Amino acid sequence: MNRLRGFTMMSMLFILVALAALGAALASLSQRQQLGSAGELASAKAYQAALAGLEWGSYQVQRIGSPPTCFATKSFVLPDQLSDFTVTVTCTPTPASGTVTDGDQVLSFYVVQATACNIASAGACPNGSTAEPTYAERQLSRTLSFKTCAASAASC
């Protein structure tokens, strides 16, 4: 006449299922936290890689000659801590004619654009075909201007 037989086993089974569900939820939360931290780190590294490419491109425009000229599009892998990133740097003269005249001054404008990504497509960025959750990309641009004097200017 003991009607409570098996009650303890049902209680223990309920507690075991509840603890298993709690453990699974904590594991999922931990995994999402880890992916979020890795994404933030990759994003910061992508920004630094794009900035390095932008500096490289700006230097290339300035060192080529007088007046400065654009370089061909260049893709390269960065060293050391940014070795998992590829940077593609482009240069475009603006306007397309290359110069604007303002009185005795001749102005040249160049837009340097650097795109950095950690999963390159055919050795270049951006990669529009990837669906990887760890893909990180940053694009930075800078407009450079140079002033030269017209040949007929007495002083500039």
Side-chain angles (χ1 to χ4, degrees), residues 7-22:
F7 178 76
T8 304
M9 184 168 27
M10 291 302 288
S11 299
M12 292 305 291
L13 185 60
F14 174 75
I15 290 172
L16 184 63
V17 168
L19 287 175
L22 181 63

Side-chain angles (χ1 to χ4, degrees), residues 11-97:
S11 299
M12 292 305 291
L13 185 60
F14 174 75
I15 290 172
L16 184 63
V17 168
L19 287 175
L22 181 63
L26 288 175
S28 175
L29 178 66
S30 175
Q31 180 184 16
R32 279 187 262 143
Q33 185 71 24
Q34 176 66 27
L35 286 174
S37 295
E40 286 182 28
L41 178 62
S43 177
K45 288 173 79 173
Y47 173 79
Q48 292 299 323
L51 188 59
L54 193 61
E55 292 295 328
W56 178 88
S58 298
Y59 174 75
Q60 296 303 313
V61 170
Q62 294 178 35
R63 79 176 185 95
I64 290 176
S66 181
T69 57
C70 276
F71 51 87
T73 297
K74 174 88 170 154
S75 293
F76 50 90
V77 176
L78 295 169
D80 298 331
Q81 298 295 320
L82 299 175
S83 62
D84 49 341
F85 283 87
T86 300
V87 180
T88 301
V89 185
T90 61
C91 178
T92 308
T94 305
S97 63

